[in-house]
Amino acid sequence: MTKSILTGALLALLITNALAQPPHLADPEPGQVFLTPQIDLDLGPVPLVVPERYAETAPAERELMVPPGFAVNVFAAGAPLEGPRFMALDPEGVLHVANMKAGGASQFGPPNDGNIVPPADEMTGQIIALPDRDGDGVADTALVVVENLWWANNFQFYKGELYVGDRHAVRRFADADGDGVYETEKEPLALLPPSKQHRTRTIVFDEQNDKLYVSIGSTCDICREEDPERAAILEFNADGTGRRIFATGLRNAVGLALHPVTNQLWATGNGHDREGSHLPPELVTAISDGDFFGWPLAFGFRTWVDFGISTYENAIFPITAQDSANVERMSRPTAMLPAHLAPMAIHFYIGDRFSPTYRNAAFVASRGGSNAAVLGNKVVALFADPDGQNARVGDFLTGFQPRLSSGSGVWGRPTGLTTDARGALYVSSDWTNHMILRVVASPLRGTWEQGLPDEVIEAFTGGQVQLRETIRVEGIDPDAAPLEVVADLSAFGGPEAVPLESLGDGTFGLQRPLDLGEHTGVKNLVVRISQQVEGELFEYRLRRVFELRPGRDLVVMGEELAPRWQLTADAPLRHEGFVQGPAVFRGAAAAFVAEDVTFSGWNMLIE
C-alpha cells in the first residue's frame, strides 16, 4: 500500500539535478527562453466511468483530474480500435476516428515501414465510425468505413467526400451508395514525400477560402533538409492545385486547426530532442503566410539551438547570413509549453455545454515524451485573444501519468480531440489503452452554503469532526429523474453513500460525526450530486479536503528504510541499496545511487 508523509496518499520525493524550468514571462525579449503563464483550473479527481458495454476492454478503477463540474466516461474502447488518433464528425454527427495502428503496427511505425509506398493490400490503417444512436454518450458499435491506409493520422469530411492525411498522400474517398462506407477511392488530391521519421501528415480545410493546409514533418531531429517541403506547412486550393509552401521552420506540426473567430491557421509544434529535459519548449501558435518558426536553427522567440552539441554543430555549420536573417524575422509564438510534452491535436471549443470561460479556447492534447521534466500525458486549455495575444494555459484533463518516471504507470496517451453538437469533448488515446473518452460538463452545480471552510482543513489523526454541512444545488431539471445527493465517507472508514436530507429550495443538509482515523495524508470528503436527464447521467462533485498529520514524527528512513516504504531510482540512476554511510553520518544508513552522466536529470521516489 502506498504510504504518505503529512501531505497525501502519495509522497513523491523528486530530486532533480537539471536546470530550472524556463521562466514564465508575459513579454519576453528576443532570445529569452520562456513558458506561457499558467492558470489553475482547480482540478479535482473524478472516476473514469466505464459503461457495461466496455467493462472488459476499458481500464477499470481509474481516476482522472478535471475542473469542477466535469465528468469523464469511456465512449469506446478495445477492438477494433488500435491506435485511434484524430477524430471528426460526419455531416450526420457520427464520430469517426483514424485507426492508425491497426494490423499489428508498433507504437511508432506501420508493419510496412520505409520510404517506399507499399501496395494497397499491404496497408492496414482504417477510418472507423462510432455511432451513438441512442444518444447515451456511449458508442453502440464500431464500423470500418475506409480501409487500406498506410499510416493515417487524420482526415476531414469536405463537400461530400472524405479526405485522409496519409503518410504519402492526401487521399480521397467517396460513399457511392450512401451507406456510410467510403468504398470508392479517387485520385489522390496530392502526393506527399514519405519518410521514416515524422511519418504523420495532418490536413485541415479552410472552407471560407476553399483552401487545404497540410503539415509535413522533418526527416531528422536537426539537419538541413534537401526538400523545402519538409518541416513545413503546405497550402493547396481545395481541388489540389496551387501547391505552395505556407510556413516553414516547424520540425513537426502535428496539430492544425482554424480559429473560429479569425479563421487563422494555428498549429502545435514538437521541438528537437538533445538539449536536455527542459529545452526547447513546445510550440502552440497562430500562423501567418510566410512565417518561419526557427527549425533547425532556433526555437521560441529567436533563441538559437545549442550548437555546442556536436551532433547539431556537425549537421548545421557553417551558419550563413541567410540563416541569421531568417532567425531575426521569427515572431514571438502564441504559447510555449514545457519541453517534450509532444503536443498533438489542437481543437477550438465552440460548443455551449462548457462554461463561457471555454468559448473559443483551444484544447491541446499532449502525448508526453520520455525525456520530459513534467507530467506530460494530458489535455491543456489555452486561453488567448483571437489574435493570439495574452495567452494563458491551464491543465484541463490529467491523471494518465501517475508519476514522472520514464513513462512508468502511463495508462493513456491523449492524441486526438473534437466536440459534438451537444458540446461534449472527445479525447482519443492511441497507446497503452486504445480508447476514446468523452468529457461532459454537468448542468448541475453545487456550493457549500455553510459548514467547514473552503481551504484545506489541517487536523491530527485520532480525532473527530462534527459535520454540519448545508449544500445548495443549482441546475436541477424538474422534469427528469429524481436528484441524488450523497456523501462518500469511505476515506474515513465510513459508508460510501450517505444520503443528504432535502431541506427544500434546492438545499441539502448533512449532520454527522466524522472520525479522522489513524492514517496520515490527504483525505477527501466527497458529496456526489447526480441526475439522469433523457438517458444521460450528469454528475457534479463537491469536496472537503482534510490534511491529516501524525501525532508524532513519522520515520521514513533511519538505519534502513522503514517498513512498507520503498525507494525507486529512475533511469539514469542505479540504486545500490542501503549501505553503511561515510563516517560523518556516525552510523546512520544512506541510500547510494550512481548517475549515468550522459543524461541531464534524474528522479528518486520514496513511497
Side-chain angles (χ1 to χ4, degrees):
M1 176 179 290
T2 300
K3 308 297 289 183
S4 60
I5 302 177
L6 305 182
T7 56
L10 173 66
L11 168 70
L13 178 60
L14 176 63
I15 307 171
T16 304
N17 70 345
L19 295 173
Q21 285 278 11
H24 295 270
L25 299 175
D27 191 18
E29 296 294 327
Q32 285 184 306
V33 180
F34 71 98
L35 295 179
T36 297
Q38 292 187 340
I39 58 175
D40 184 0
L41 296 180
D42 193 25
L43 305 191
V46 297
L48 175 62
V49 178
V50 179
E52 184 177 352
R53 186 176 304 143
Y54 296 110
E56 296 183 359
T57 55
E61 299 182 356
R62 300 288 183 172
E63 194 170 67
L64 291 164
M65 301 289 288
V66 290
F70 287 91
V72 188
N73 71 272
V74 172
F75 180 76
L81 295 182
E82 296 181 79
R85 296 282 287 192
F86 287 14
M87 298 170 286
L89 282 83
D90 71 5
E92 284 69 48
V94 176
L95 185 73
H96 289 61
V97 63
N99 206 32
M100 190 170 81
K101 300 168 185 176
S106 73
Q107 182 176 184
F108 300 110
N112 294 289
D113 208 355
N115 295 333
I116 305 300
V117 181
D121 60 3
E122 295 182 15
M123 299 181 185
T124 58
Q126 303 165 329
I127 304 297
I128 289 182
L130 298 164
D132 174 18
R133 300 184 183 92
D134 58 7
D136 64 350
V138 181
D140 303 320
T141 188
L143 306 171
V144 177
V145 299
V146 176
E147 294 186 284
N148 304 122
L149 304 174
W150 191 8
W151 193 243
N153 175 63
N154 89 317
F155 58 97
Q156 297 273 288
F157 294 95
Y158 188 69
K159 294 186 177 180
E161 295 183 332
L162 191 156
Y163 294 77
V164 178
D166 210 346
R167 179 174 172 176
H168 61 299
V170 178
R171 301 171 68 178
R172 293 190 296 171
F173 297 86
D175 176 11
D177 54 9
D179 64 351
V181 176
Y182 291 77
E183 67 284 326
T184 304
E185 182 169 10
K186 298 186 174 182
E187 285 294 316
L189 191 72
L191 297 178
L192 306 173
S195 70
K196 289 198 68 173
Q197 185 163 347
H198 300 146
R199 302 166 177 84
T200 62
R201 307 289 177 256
T202 304
I203 67 173
V204 63
F205 278 96
D206 174 0
E207 297 186 15
Q208 289 187 20
N209 298 300
D210 216 27
K211 298 289 186 181
L212 169 69
Y213 297 99
V214 182
S215 71
I216 302 177
S218 68
T219 62
C220 59
D221 183 28
I222 280 187
C223 63
R224 290 193 184 271
E225 297 280 10
E226 295 181 1
D227 185 346
E229 291 188 345
R230 296 285 187 181
I233 295 175
L234 308 184
E235 182 192 73
F236 297 81
N237 296 322
D239 62 3
T241 63
R243 180 174 186 151
R244 70 186 189 94
I245 295 173
F246 184 76
T248 58
L250 290 157
R251 177 176 172 270
N252 194 22
V254 182
L256 298 179
L258 297 170
H259 195 284
V261 175
T262 65
N263 202 50
Q264 186 174 13
L265 183 68
W266 285 48
T268 65
N270 288 221
H272 53 272
D273 293 332
R274 292 182 172 87
E275 286 200 45
S277 298
H278 300 287
L279 293 176
E282 306 283 40
L283 179 80
V284 182
T285 193
I287 297 179
S288 297
D289 192 359
D291 277 349
F292 173 69
F293 290 95
W295 188 91
L297 305 168
F299 60 87
F301 192 17
R302 305 177 196 165
T303 300
W304 285 87
V305 168
D306 181 3
F307 291 115
I309 300 171
S310 60
T311 303
Y312 291 168
E313 178 185 3
N314 295 336
I316 300 300
F317 274 29
I319 300 294
T320 68
Q322 186 60 56
D323 291 338
S324 298
N326 285 339
V327 172
E328 282 301 309
R329 69 184 181 87
M330 291 171 62
S331 300
R332 180 166 62 86
T334 300
M336 302 298 289
L337 307 181
H340 311 303
L341 291 189
M344 298 281 110
I346 177 172
H347 175 73
F348 290 98
Y349 186 81
I350 58 173
D352 56 10
R353 175 64 63 85
F354 293 6
S355 74
T357 302
Y358 296 96
R359 183 78 176 180
N360 298 327
F363 288 105
V364 177
S366 164
R367 198 175 183 277
S370 61
N371 53 344
V374 298
L375 299 178
N377 295 275
K378 59 185 177 182
V379 176
V380 301
L382 174 61
F383 306 93
D385 298 340
D387 62 359
Q389 298 298 309
N390 300 312
R392 297 291 185 272
V393 65
D395 286 352
F396 177 81
L397 174 64
T398 69
F400 299 100
Q401 183 177 0
R403 65 184 63 170
L404 186 64
S405 180
S406 296
S408 174
V410 174
W411 59 273
R413 295 193 179 277
T415 306
L417 299 166
T418 195
T419 49
D420 65 12
R422 294 193 291 175
L425 175 70
Y426 294 84
V427 181
S428 67
S429 165
D430 76 336
W431 203 249
T432 308
N433 282 290
H434 302 256
M435 59 188 178
I436 296 173
L437 306 184
R438 180 172 176 268
V439 183
V440 295
S442 171
L444 299 170
R445 293 290 185 274
T447 54
W448 303 100
E449 190 166 85
Q450 64 182 38
L452 298 170
D454 288 337
E455 63 268 16
V456 173
I457 302 151
E458 297 184 3
F460 291 98
T461 58
Q464 190 179 81
V465 172
Q466 182 65 38
L467 296 176
R468 294 185 177 86
E469 300 290 321
T470 302
I471 292 171
R472 178 171 294 279
V473 181
E474 299 177 346
I476 304 171
D477 188 333
D479 301 320
L483 183 76
E484 292 187 1
V485 184
V486 297
D488 182 355
L489 307 180
S490 59
F492 303 89
E496 293 185 358
V498 178
L500 273 67
E501 179 185 1
S502 176
L503 305 177
D505 195 27
T507 60
F508 297 81
L510 174 65
Q511 295 192 30
R512 187 184 183 95
L514 186 66
D515 294 324
L516 298 179
E518 296 296 332
H519 296 290
T520 59
V522 171
K523 296 185 179 182
N524 291 306
L525 164 64
V526 180
V527 175
R528 183 173 64 88
I529 305 165
S530 60
Q531 187 178 35
Q532 193 161 26
V533 181
E534 296 181 351
E536 185 171 0
L537 181 65
F538 293 105
E539 186 174 298
Y540 188 91
R541 296 193 177 204
L542 289 171
R543 287 175 178 77
R544 293 288 193 203
V545 181
F546 291 79
E547 183 175 335
L548 300 185
R549 301 177 180 272
R552 57 181 176 80
D553 290 341
L554 184 63
V555 177
V556 175
M557 189 184 301
E559 292 298 323
E560 58 185 4
L561 199 64
R564 292 185 290 180
W565 290 84
Q566 63 180 1
L567 182 146
T568 302
D570 184 26
L573 294 185
R574 299 190 308 277
H575 175 218
E576 299 181 0
F578 284 83
V579 299
Q580 186 63 37
V584 69
F585 292 108
R586 299 190 183 279
F592 281 85
V593 293
E595 180 189 7
D596 183 340
V597 296
T598 62
F599 285 77
S600 62
W602 49 266
N603 306 309
M604 283 174 53
L605 183 71
I606 300 175
E607 60 181 350

